[in-house]
Amino acid sequence: MGQGTGHPQARTTTDARGNPITTSHTGPVEVIIIAAMDSEIAPFLERATGVDAAAKHGNAVHRTGTLDGRTVLFVRGGIGLVNAAAATTSALLLAGTGSPGAPLPLVVSAGSAGGLGDSVRVGDVVVSMDTLNADADARALGYELGQVPGMPASYPVPQHLADAAARGLPAQRRAETVHHGLTVSSYAFVGPDRADVIKEQFPGVLATDMESSAIAQVCHAHGAPFLAIRGISDMCGPASDEFIQHVDDAAERSAEIAVAVVDAWLTEASGPAS
């Protein structure tokens, strides 16, 4: 159901420097969608209505809009784990100022990823059931490979969210194959040599990106639900040509699946209509 037809009063929040930001969206933010690049957040903005002016928060760019009748915060966070963590933190803090005491929004890591699984192909979509940092290695201190010290070994998706991710897939979609499984993140763009190492160290891994584990870590720290949904743009080959050629299509496929899954999750969370 869409927004009401009345005339809501504007809501004012503040940016990172305390400057007021006025938005026409009065309800709490229900979903935060984070993508690294403009081309990866663009498919979501194209589907949204009532998108507010962009607001800069550090290196991240925030826009609030309506997607399927729900208030969504769209974030272009920047590439890499540090940018992703900063963007997620600013987004959760901003969303939390709207309605004190309201549940924290679902956070979705969207965009492109490199394929690692034997059955994964360019054009597929991977919905992460678990996420970890492939570059974290504190085994000398008793931690597991992929585990950031003091944090969980990985960030598995709760079963109720995993169920919604499975049920929410649209019957008609551009991505014919949607995988569910492990995604790892790395500080570097993964090429063939690194891909072989990651596949050996983390059996069953499906995809790799440069942001999702950091977003998951921040969500864990704040108690926010998290899900990564990435379109496969390349197979971690020796050159970046494949990524450049397919990144826009991967972003579109990520958005198509993410929007459907988010709708399924929020419909289930709200319960049956009274």
Side-chain angles (χ1 to χ4, degrees):
M1 183 176 178
Q3 296 274 19
T5 56
H7 300 281
Q9 297 297 311
R11 175 167 60 91
T12 300
T13 60
T14 58
D15 64 15
R17 297 183 177 181
N19 300 314
I21 301 172
T22 300
T23 171
S24 60
H25 302 278
T26 57
V29 171
E30 296 180 77
V31 183
I32 297 170
I33 297 175
I34 303 175
M37 302 186 299
D38 289 329
S39 61
E40 293 176 318
I41 202 68
F44 293 97
L45 297 174
E46 291 166 0
R47 287 168 165 81
T49 59
V51 178
D52 290 332
K56 195 82 179 294
H57 293 264
N59 196 47
V61 176
H62 293 198
R63 297 177 178 88
T64 306
T66 301
L67 194 61
D68 291 338
R70 299 180 171 99
T71 301
V72 178
L73 179 59
F74 304 97
V75 182
R76 194 279 290 144
I79 297 171
L81 297 174
V82 175
N83 278 328
T88 308
T89 301
S90 65
L92 284 171
L93 293 177
L94 179 64
T97 64
S99 297
L104 285 172
L106 170 66
V107 179
V108 177
S109 171
S112 62
L116 290 174
D118 292 339
S119 63
V120 175
R121 298 291 182 267
V122 171
D124 292 353
V125 170
V126 171
V127 180
S128 299
M129 294 294 97
D130 201 2
T131 310
L132 57 79
N133 183 343
D135 292 334
D137 188 356
R139 286 176 289 179
L141 302 177
Y143 293 95
E144 296 182 26
L145 182 64
Q147 181 178 14
V148 175
M151 302 303 293
S154 65
Y155 302 94
V157 172
Q159 189 59 50
H160 59 283
L161 183 50
D163 292 343
R167 287 196 299 270
L169 298 180
Q172 301 296 323
R173 55 182 186 261
R174 294 181 65 176
E176 294 184 5
T177 305
V178 179
H179 307 267
H180 296 75
L182 174 65
T183 293
V184 303
S185 298
S186 175
Y187 290 103
F189 192 90
V190 174
D193 293 341
R194 179 63 175 142
D196 289 341
V197 172
I198 291 174
K199 291 166 71 172
E200 180 180 353
Q201 292 177 328
F202 304 103
V205 62
L206 296 178
T208 178
D209 65 26
M210 297 176 68
E211 295 85 26
S212 289
S213 71
I215 299 172
Q217 181 174 326
V218 173
C219 288
H220 171 80
H222 286 267
F226 165 80
L227 188 63
I229 301 176
R230 297 282 185 137
I232 301 301
S233 59
D234 62 275
M235 294 305 298
C236 300
S240 61
D241 292 351
E242 192 175 36
F243 167 77
I244 294 170
Q245 180 180 353
H246 297 291
V247 62
D248 289 349
D249 182 63
E252 172 62 33
R253 292 170 187 243
S254 165
E256 177 186 52
I257 300 301
V259 169
V261 168
V262 164
D263 182 66
W265 158 255
L266 291 177
T267 299
E268 179 180 287
S270 64
S274 57

